[in-house]
Amino acid sequence: MTTFSLPSGRPLGVAVIGYAFMGKAHSNAWRTVASFFDVPAFEQKVLVGRDALAVAEAAAKYGWAESATDWRSVISRDDIDIVDICAPGWMHAEIAIAALEAGKHVLVEKPLANTLEEAELMAEAAASARERGVRSMIGFNYRRVPALALARELIAEGRLGTVRHIRAAYLQDWLSDVETPMSWRLRKETAGSGALGDIASHAIDQVQHLTGQTVTEVTGTLRTFVAERPGAAGLEKVTVDDAAWATLGLTGGVSASVEASRVATGQKNSLKIEIYGSWVR
Amino acid sequence: MTTFSLPSGRPLGVAVIGYAFMGKAHSNAWRTVASFFDVPAFEQKVLVGRDALAVAEAAAKYGWAESATDWRSVISRDDIDIVDICAPGWMHAEIAIAALEAGKHVLVEKPLANTLEEAELMAEAAASARERGVRSMIGFNYRRVPALALARELIAEGRLGTVRHIRAAYLQDWLSDVETPMSWRLRKETAGSGALGDIASHAIDQVQHLTGQTVTEVTGTLRTFVAERPGAAGLEKVTVDDAAWATLGLTGGVSASVEASRVATGQKNSLKIEIYGSWVR
Amino acid sequence: MTTFSLPSGRPLGVAVIGYAFMGKAHSNAWRTVASFFDVPAFEQKVLVGRDALAVAEAAAKYGWAESATDWRSVISRDDIDIVDICAPGWMHAEIAIAALEAGKHVLVEKPLANTLEEAELMAEAAASARERGVRSMIGFNYRRVPALALARELIAEGRLGTVRHIRAAYLQDWLSDVETPMSWRLRKETAGSGALGDIASHAIDQVQHLTGQTVTEVTGTLRTFVAERPGAAGLEKVTVDDAAWATLGLTGGVSASVEASRVATGQKNSLKIEIYGSWVR
Amino acid sequence: MTTFSLPSGRPLGVAVIGYAFMGKAHSNAWRTVASFFDVPAFEQKVLVGRDALAVAEAAAKYGWAESATDWRSVISRDDIDIVDICAPGWMHAEIAIAALEAGKHVLVEKPLANTLEEAELMAEAAASARERGVRSMIGFNYRRVPALALARELIAEGRLGTVRHIRAAYLQDWLSDVETPMSWRLRKETAGSGALGDIASHAIDQVQHLTGQTVTEVTGTLRTFVAERPGAAGLEKVTVDDAAWATLGLTGGVSASVEASRVATGQKNSLKIEIYGSWVR
């Protein structure tokens, strides 16, 4: 991991926006990272969420000094140096851009944004912030999985010869049951997409990260198998995909198939990547 | 297996056209099928190939009474009832149509034909022959693999709920090495296609056979990773695909991904099919 | 495969004793071996069994010229050169010794014998016959499985470093169901043992064959989980093991665990061998 | 998890003895358990180790309020309620018995003790402490792995029928390389045993825990493949096993094979358990 240059002698102040599934996972990471890795000094300053009571309880549980409900006031605090965005996708762009402009280092969960336009604005804000010494990154955590990091090294060393094609499949089944209820993850306006942004994003990132190549061609398909799910007000329309398929062409000539599904019954959280190189005598 | 009605009391006479890889495999099947299954009486009459000496030697080795070099004269023989076509793809249509018109039952290896036009003419000839009691089939041997036959039963019984999506991958690596030489299987004019017709055809057939549904939508990509291979006269151009990818939509709503490769280093002959159904409580 | 020296110009005459499961498998091998391998000329002369009608039908089905019920008269025939013994274990010693003494080359199915005493007598007969140019072997067919033959080569080349320990497990489940009926394979007087002789024998042979070492130490356990099974006359006592475990020490210092079971529910016919060598830098 | 009854209104005070591999792992567990599970209030009071500087650094890193070098003074403190013993095996008995007698709840890492005599004394101390409301347990963490907990439930519900035999193998390879240096884990006087106590203990515990049965019969073998390893003073003698094998008989009739190795090259940390039950129609 790269190290931040500390603005002063004091520990870096961290704020996490969001306290649900990912907010909890990131809180755990912040709580334990210094036990395992050599990182700059930092403090778990504030956990941010919309529900004051719930976020206060979560903050206490996950080791945060305070909780807050207004992310805008948090990113304007002088004692906050890092803003870690675990809010739903539709909020990413606004928070990230504001935080970058406020001079905060930013970590955003994937998928980066719900629309290409938002993503481009964020990338611009990040590039401009970088010139002022402000760091930013997307939460592609699989890059740090030892087996994948090793695979990347083996590829870079040419141990597989020339990589020809890759098969990447990310399969889950938590939406297999038609009774699994509606949530923000199943609405296009909040989540942007379904399996595509949620998990195919990891697979696509790996394809690029493993090979050091960039996707330049794509053909793909999306499917929603369960069109309606039980919500607060009866059945509601699911407006994102349950599964996604794509064939990718990369700059260096690699082809990759990517498949993601949240209705792959029996697969709890399976990310499998097969890499086929030229024959090495 | 269905039984033929015998034209007379005599055993059915069988001719196999082609004596190379598939001709050998089919010869073995003819030689042993009656030891394991209850089939009508038949005789291994004649093995047909272009090289008189080589086909004579093969015929002796594989248990055929005779060999011949002219398939036309063979299909006009009264003592031949079944014509089993293991010749390269470009010959399938001509031989099959002629055999059907001569009143012979016909088994054709897959892929059925090198072009859609040929396939349609063959289907017409088969339909017309069927009205005269003449049988025909394509060599989709994986239909008889016990595990796949069982999967088909389980699906038909609803044991997987509603099938939503299928992942089918047929992977081989015999073309991984750039030194693997040119052959008829690597030329479009003789083979029609590469991994697509050779092995993806099995995967696609299984998707349809397992579900009882028919493909109505397809998006796909072909790639040739090794553009030239050593031939009799130096490097020759490979004109078929090394790998193929497709996403299929079927009549009953199933989606399927199909991937086939003959450069999947390390995979000798791997056909894997994953079937994802709705949650069954 | 080694080649026999033919006694005269005529093809070798083969007799198989036994026409059930193994007799059928061997018949198939004799019927097709010459199509795939370069073997001396031979003829499928006679299939031997106790039930005249059944063996006659089997002989016709599996390609034998004749059938017979008396193995003694068969092994005294001048036109028989090879006697392939697929009868139940309790008959192996008598037939094999008689055949060897009659100057016939002998192939015996495993397990070689039902008792150590029988095995030793057979080994003596074989050694003595070998001096007269008569060949003999046990049917350890897994030695010819390409993956295992390759493993043996890799070990011999030192590619695994020094082999330290091996895990060999042969698992089947055809006896899992308590309703599976009694048979000769479940009686000590006919089969000698259960999973031990039937399938652990393959695993033990592989451990020795792969390493080129000989077992000198053994600790082991046998278990019979289903004590009685339905027979012709009601429930009958099972007198052989359903499963067997052993830890072996070999001449060159290798340790091996061997496990065999015919009640490993879900395992149809699974032979897995893991070989652990010293670290190779 | 069971809940402790708090002695007063104050949070429970926790001390961990040992700060190396297991001390670090347990520290992480204490640091994060309350974020994920509903546990009584507790405080990470003190981390104990022999090297004052190193344990102080570890305490700071892993979230402990203090560090100490004398475990005896720690277990006599009134503000310590729970003593978690991660020290090497030879120290387990002395610390655990002293802590239990001091009225502290005790968690001991496996293997419980280096000798049967020590284990019996500890069990007596624990039984006697239990009567005074003092809790104790061994660190068999695999019991909480969801897949194993589910397997236990399925077995208890009879979903596998009657369990007949189990195959349990715990394989690692960190000792495969002969250059891996000497450590306390490789000396009998400190570790008690090698793969047997270190990892076979988990496998054996699972066999009992999954079935609810107790081992009553055992046959086993130990092997040390690398007799000497580089130590501070040149090559030193390894006095524990590199691998262990056992066949177990349990009270309810289950048989189990257990295999453990720390020289299973290629296996990083693989615990596999196969459970074979009677056929369920």
Side-chain angles (χ1 to χ4, degrees):
Chain A
M1 292 177 91
T2 55
T3 47
F4 296 99
S5 49
L6 299 170
S8 67
R10 71 164 173 78
L12 289 157
V14 177
V16 164
I17 320 288
Y19 64 96
F21 184 53
M22 270 303 130
K24 183 176 181 177
H26 282 231
S27 292
N28 182 52
W30 287 110
R31 192 145 171 78
T32 56
V33 64
S35 301
F36 296 97
F37 297 96
D38 207 18
V39 293
F42 70 87
E43 286 174 351
Q44 285 185 252
K45 287 281 186 188
V46 54
L47 184 65
V48 184
R50 280 171 303 185
D51 180 327
L53 243 77
V55 74
E57 193 183 352
K61 215 167 171 180
Y62 307 156
W64 296 93
E66 311 164 40
S67 64
T69 56
D70 177 16
W71 61 264
R72 284 175 207 278
S73 65
V74 170
I75 66 169
S76 65
R77 280 168 57 162
D78 285 345
D79 64 338
I80 297 300
D81 302 287
I82 298 173
V83 175
D84 175 1
I85 306 171
C86 298
W90 67 273
M91 302 176 69
H92 285 187
E94 188 178 12
I95 304 175
I97 293 168
L100 289 166
E101 287 177 353
K104 311 306 183 193
H105 305 295
V106 169
L107 167 60
V108 194
E109 253 307 315
K110 36 57 52 189
L112 179 60
N114 281 8
T115 67
L116 184 59
E117 194 189 5
E118 284 172 353
E120 284 170 345
L121 290 173
M122 292 167 85
E124 277 168 37
S128 153
R130 182 174 305 268
E131 286 170 19
R132 301 189 305 275
V134 174
R135 309 264 186 157
S136 54
M137 69 181 288
I138 307 177
F140 285 123
N141 57 305
Y142 286 100
R143 292 189 180 191
R144 308 297 177 195
V145 169
L148 290 169
L150 175 62
R152 189 173 185 241
E153 263 180 53
L154 295 176
I155 291 171
E157 290 166 6
R159 299 278 290 277
L160 279 66
T162 302
V163 175
R164 286 172 178 157
H165 65 95
I166 295 182
R167 306 183 68 220
Y170 199 145
L171 305 174
Q172 300 179 333
D173 72 354
W174 60 282
L175 291 176
S176 283
D177 191 336
V178 295
E179 299 300 326
T180 301
M182 200 61 195
S183 79
W184 72 264
R185 289 179 183 274
L186 299 174
R187 285 187 200 99
K188 190 173 175 55
E189 59 275 23
T190 42
S193 66
L196 178 62
D198 189 20
I199 51 178
S201 57
H202 281 298
I204 296 165
D205 180 62
Q206 276 301 314
V207 167
Q208 294 194 136
H209 189 64
L210 287 169
T211 57
Q213 300 180 17
T214 308
V215 173
T216 52
E217 292 172 41
V218 60
T219 326
T221 310
L222 300 178
R223 275 292 304 273
T224 306
F225 294 97
V226 181
E228 294 181 315
R229 290 185 179 273
L235 282 180
E236 295 178 29
K237 195 155 194 257
V238 173
T239 48
V240 300
D241 55 288
D242 285 329
W245 299 261
T247 310
L248 311 177
L250 284 92
T251 39
V254 166
S255 289
S257 67
V258 170
E259 182 160 356
S261 172
R262 301 194 294 197
V263 295
T265 307
Q267 304 280 14
K268 295 309 162 197
N269 189 46
S270 164
L271 173 58
K272 286 197 189 165
I273 301 177
E274 300 171 24
I275 305 157
Y276 296 103
S278 57
W279 187 261
V280 182
R281 285 150 191 282
Chain B
M1 291 176 91
T2 53
T3 46
F4 297 100
S5 50
L6 299 171
S8 68
R10 71 163 173 81
L12 289 157
V14 178
V16 164
I17 320 288
Y19 63 97
F21 184 53
M22 270 304 129
K24 183 177 180 177
H26 282 231
S27 292
N28 182 51
W30 286 110
R31 191 142 171 80
T32 57
V33 64
S35 300
F36 296 96
F37 298 96
D38 207 18
V39 292
F42 69 87
E43 286 174 352
Q44 285 184 253
K45 286 282 185 187
V46 54
L47 183 66
V48 184
R50 279 172 303 185
D51 180 327
L53 242 76
V55 74
E57 193 183 352
K61 216 168 172 182
Y62 306 155
W64 296 93
E66 312 164 39
S67 64
T69 56
D70 177 17
W71 61 263
R72 285 174 205 280
S73 67
V74 169
I75 65 168
S76 65
R77 280 166 57 161
D78 285 345
D79 64 339
I80 297 300
D81 302 286
I82 298 173
V83 175
D84 174 1
I85 305 172
C86 298
W90 68 272
M91 302 176 68
H92 285 186
E94 188 178 12
I95 304 175
I97 292 169
L100 288 166
E101 287 177 353
K104 310 308 182 190
H105 305 295
V106 168
L107 167 60
V108 194
E109 253 307 315
K110 37 55 52 191
L112 180 60
N114 281 8
T115 67
L116 185 59
E117 194 189 5
E118 283 172 355
E120 284 170 344
L121 290 173
M122 291 166 85
E124 277 169 36
S128 152
R130 182 173 306 268
E131 285 169 21
R132 302 190 304 274
V134 175
R135 309 264 186 157
S136 55
M137 70 180 289
I138 308 177
F140 285 123
N141 56 305
Y142 286 99
R143 293 190 180 191
R144 309 295 178 198
V145 170
L148 290 169
L150 176 62
R152 189 172 186 243
E153 263 180 52
L154 295 175
I155 290 170
E157 289 167 7
R159 299 278 289 278
L160 279 65
T162 302
V163 175
R164 287 172 179 157
H165 63 97
I166 295 182
R167 307 183 68 221
Y170 199 143
L171 305 174
Q172 299 179 334
D173 72 354
W174 61 282
L175 291 176
S176 283
D177 191 335
V178 297
E179 300 300 326
T180 302
M182 201 61 197
S183 78
W184 72 264
R185 289 179 182 273
L186 299 173
R187 285 186 200 100
K188 192 173 174 53
E189 60 274 24
T190 42
S193 65
L196 178 62
D198 188 21
I199 53 179
S201 57
H202 282 297
I204 295 165
D205 181 61
Q206 276 301 314
V207 168
Q208 296 194 134
H209 189 63
L210 287 169
T211 58
Q213 299 180 17
T214 308
V215 174
T216 53
E217 293 171 42
V218 61
T219 326
T221 310
L222 300 178
R223 276 291 304 274
T224 306
F225 294 97
V226 182
E228 294 181 315
R229 290 185 180 272
L235 282 181
E236 295 179 28
K237 195 154 194 261
V238 173
T239 48
V240 300
D241 55 287
D242 285 329
W245 299 262
T247 310
L248 312 177
L250 284 90
T251 39
V254 167
S255 287
S257 68
V258 170
E259 182 161 355
S261 172
R262 301 194 293 197
V263 295
T265 308
Q267 304 280 16
K268 294 310 162 197
N269 190 45
S270 165
L271 173 58
K272 287 197 188 165
I273 300 176
E274 300 171 25
I275 305 157
Y276 296 103
S278 57
W279 188 260
V280 181
R281 287 151 190 280
Chain C
M1 293 176 90
T2 54
T3 46
F4 296 98
S5 50
L6 299 170
S8 66
R10 71 164 172 78
L12 289 157
V14 177
V16 164
I17 320 288
Y19 63 96
F21 184 53
M22 270 304 129
K24 183 177 181 178
H26 282 230
S27 291
N28 182 52
W30 286 110
R31 191 145 172 77
T32 57
V33 63
S35 301
F36 296 97
F37 297 96
D38 206 19
V39 292
F42 70 87
E43 286 174 351
Q44 284 184 253
K45 286 280 186 190
V46 55
L47 184 65
V48 184
R50 281 172 303 185
D51 180 327
L53 242 76
V55 73
E57 194 184 349
K61 217 169 171 181
Y62 308 156
W64 296 93
E66 312 164 38
S67 64
T69 56
D70 176 17
W71 62 263
R72 286 174 206 278
S73 66
V74 169
I75 65 170
S76 66
R77 280 167 57 163
D78 286 344
D79 63 339
I80 297 299
D81 303 285
I82 298 173
V83 175
D84 174 1
I85 306 171
C86 298
W90 66 273
M91 302 175 68
H92 285 187
E94 188 179 11
I95 303 175
I97 293 169
L100 288 166
E101 288 176 353
K104 310 307 183 192
H105 305 295
V106 168
L107 167 60
V108 193
E109 252 308 315
K110 35 55 55 189
L112 179 60
N114 281 9
T115 67
L116 185 58
E117 194 190 4
E118 283 172 356
E120 284 170 345
L121 291 173
M122 292 167 84
E124 277 168 38
S128 152
R130 182 174 306 268
E131 286 168 21
R132 301 189 304 275
V134 174
R135 309 264 187 158
S136 54
M137 69 181 288
I138 307 178
F140 285 124
N141 56 305
Y142 286 100
R143 293 190 179 190
R144 308 296 178 197
V145 169
L148 291 170
L150 175 62
R152 189 173 186 243
E153 263 180 53
L154 295 175
I155 290 170
E157 289 167 6
R159 298 278 289 278
L160 279 67
T162 302
V163 175
R164 286 173 180 157
H165 64 97
I166 296 182
R167 306 183 68 221
Y170 198 144
L171 304 175
Q172 300 180 334
D173 72 355
W174 62 281
L175 290 176
S176 283
D177 192 334
V178 296
E179 299 300 327
T180 302
M182 200 62 196
S183 77
W184 71 265
R185 290 179 181 273
L186 300 173
R187 285 187 200 99
K188 192 173 173 56
E189 60 273 24
T190 42
S193 66
L196 179 63
D198 189 20
I199 53 179
S201 57
H202 282 297
I204 296 165
D205 180 62
Q206 277 301 314
V207 167
Q208 297 195 133
H209 189 64
L210 287 169
T211 58
Q213 299 180 18
T214 307
V215 174
T216 52
E217 292 172 42
V218 61
T219 326
T221 311
L222 301 178
R223 275 291 305 273
T224 306
F225 295 98
V226 182
E228 294 182 314
R229 291 185 178 273
L235 281 180
E236 295 179 28
K237 196 154 193 257
V238 173
T239 48
V240 300
D241 56 286
D242 285 329
W245 299 262
T247 309
L248 312 177
L250 285 90
T251 40
V254 166
S255 288
S257 68
V258 170
E259 182 161 355
S261 172
R262 300 194 292 198
V263 295
T265 307
Q267 304 280 14
K268 295 308 162 198
N269 190 46
S270 164
L271 173 57
K272 286 197 188 166
I273 300 176
E274 300 171 24
I275 305 156
Y276 295 104
S278 57
W279 187 260
V280 181
R281 287 149 189 281
Chain D
M1 293 176 90
T2 55
T3 47
F4 296 98
S5 50
L6 299 170
S8 67
R10 70 164 174 78
L12 290 158
V14 178
V16 164
I17 321 288
Y19 63 97
F21 184 53
M22 269 303 130
K24 183 176 180 177
H26 282 231
S27 292
N28 182 52
W30 286 111
R31 192 145 171 78
T32 56
V33 63
S35 301
F36 296 97
F37 297 96
D38 207 18
V39 291
F42 69 87
E43 286 175 352
Q44 286 183 251
K45 287 281 184 189
V46 53
L47 185 65
V48 184
R50 281 171 301 185
D51 180 327
L53 242 77
V55 73
E57 194 183 351
K61 217 169 170 178
Y62 308 156
W64 296 92
E66 311 164 39
S67 64
T69 57
D70 177 16
W71 62 264
R72 284 175 207 277
S73 65
V74 169
I75 66 169
S76 65
R77 281 167 57 163
D78 285 345
D79 65 337
I80 298 299
D81 302 287
I82 298 173
V83 176
D84 174 2
I85 306 172
C86 298
W90 67 273
M91 303 175 69
H92 285 187
E94 188 179 11
I95 304 175
I97 292 169
L100 289 166
E101 287 176 354
K104 310 306 183 193
H105 305 294
V106 169
L107 167 60
V108 194
E109 253 305 317
K110 36 54 55 190
L112 180 59
N114 281 7
T115 67
L116 184 59
E117 194 189 4
E118 285 171 353
E120 284 171 346
L121 291 173
M122 292 166 84
E124 276 168 38
S128 152
R130 182 174 306 268
E131 286 169 20
R132 303 189 303 276
V134 174
R135 310 263 185 157
S136 55
M137 68 180 289
I138 308 178
F140 285 124
N141 57 304
Y142 286 100
R143 292 190 180 189
R144 309 296 178 197
V145 169
L148 290 170
L150 175 63
R152 190 174 185 241
E153 264 179 53
L154 295 175
I155 290 170
E157 289 167 8
R159 300 277 289 277
L160 279 65
T162 303
V163 175
R164 287 172 179 157
H165 64 97
I166 296 183
R167 306 182 68 220
Y170 199 144
L171 305 174
Q172 300 180 333
D173 71 355
W174 61 281
L175 291 176
S176 283
D177 192 336
V178 296
E179 299 300 327
T180 301
M182 201 60 197
S183 78
W184 72 265
R185 289 179 183 274
L186 299 174
R187 284 186 201 99
K188 191 173 175 55
E189 59 274 24
T190 41
S193 66
L196 178 63
D198 188 21
I199 52 178
S201 57
H202 282 297
I204 295 165
D205 181 61
Q206 277 300 314
V207 167
Q208 294 194 136
H209 189 64
L210 287 169
T211 57
Q213 299 180 18
T214 307
V215 174
T216 52
E217 293 172 41
V218 60
T219 326
T221 310
L222 300 177
R223 276 291 305 273
T224 306
F225 294 98
V226 181
E228 295 180 315
R229 290 185 178 273
L235 282 181
E236 295 179 27
K237 195 156 194 254
V238 173
T239 49
V240 299
D241 56 287
D242 286 329
W245 298 261
T247 310
L248 312 177
L250 284 92
T251 40
V254 166
S255 288
S257 68
V258 169
E259 182 161 355
S261 172
R262 301 194 294 198
V263 296
T265 307
Q267 304 280 13
K268 295 308 163 198
N269 190 45
S270 164
L271 173 57
K272 286 196 188 165
I273 301 177
E274 300 171 23
I275 304 156
Y276 296 103
S278 58
W279 187 260
V280 181
R281 283 148 192 283

